[in-house]
Structure formats: structure tokens, C-alpha cells
Amino acid sequence: QVHLVESGGGLVQAGGSLRLSCAASEHIFVIPTMAWYRQAPGKQRELVADITTPGNTNYADSVKGRFTISRDNGKNTVYLEMNSLKPEDTAVYYCNVVYVGINYWGKGTLVTVSS
């Protein structure tokens, strides 16, 4: 079983920055892909970005050029650096991994971007 704990959310003005962290209970070097999703009020959960063990990344079109995902295998942590934040980035952000065929989610961290 993998426990994921997100942190770093908060209230920020448009144009500002935040860095989210996701600490995993397992050594993440054994987890092929780690991801960040988000869910805005009244909307479906959507993929924001993911990163493989070698460091290959994938981003949603809406965040390309503004968000950066990274992972520190030594600290069992994945990060999401968010810059140039927009009000439409307001959502609960969730860390996600699929490990041994099981989908694991953190409880989420709320990001609110004011205009």
C-alpha cells in the first residue's frame, strides 16, 4: 500500500506561484509514473502532469509552459511548481500513482487563485 500526502496549496493572486509537494510512503524509484491531477468545483478530475522514473514528463495543454513536475527519488517526493497562476487553475490538486496495478490517491490540497 502507498500513502500519499500532498502539501503546499493555498491562496494566491493571479500571476503568482506555488509549489506543491507529494510525499510517498514507498520508495518512489519503484513507481514508474507519478502524476498530479486536479478537480475544480463542478468539473471532472483531470490530469495536470505526470513524470516517469527516468524523468520523462507530460503536461496538460492548459498548463504547458507554466507548470513543472519533478521528482526526488531520494526523498520519495514529487513536486509541482506552478507559475503564472490563473483563476481557472483553482482546484483541489491530487497526487496519484499506480503501483502493482492499484490506483492510489492522496487527500488533495486546495489551490485558490484570486483575480
Side-chain angles (χ1 to χ4, degrees):
Q1 194 169 10
V2 180
H3 295 284
L4 304 170
V5 179
E6 303 97 335
S7 62
L11 174 64
V12 63
Q13 288 189 329
S17 299
L18 283 174
R19 187 174 83 154
L20 306 183
S21 299
C22 171
S25 60
E26 290 290 328
H27 294 295
I28 65 172
F29 66 84
V30 300
I31 301 174
T33 302
M34 301 188 71
W36 284 97
Y37 283 74
R38 68 185 180 186
Q39 188 166 18
K43 294 189 176 181
Q44 288 190 329
R45 193 170 297 189
E46 62 176 358
L47 176 68
V48 176
D50 58 38
I51 184 168
T52 65
T53 300
N56 299 314
T57 57
N58 174 57
Y59 296 94
D61 287 343
S62 58
V63 306
K64 280 181 181 176
R66 300 188 298 122
F67 290 12
T68 303
I69 189 171
S70 61
R71 60 193 288 171
D72 186 332
N73 291 339
K75 294 183 178 180
N76 298 329
T77 301
V78 62
Y79 303 97
L80 186 68
E81 185 76 33
M82 306 186 295
N83 297 313
S84 302
L85 282 161
K86 305 175 181 180
E88 50 264 44
D89 294 318
T90 295
V92 178
Y93 284 71
Y94 297 93
C95 186
N96 168 265
V97 305
V98 178
Y99 182 57
V100 196
I102 300 174
N103 214 354
Y104 293 97
W105 296 92
K107 292 185 177 181
T109 184
L110 177 63
V111 172
T112 304
V113 184
S114 63
S115 57

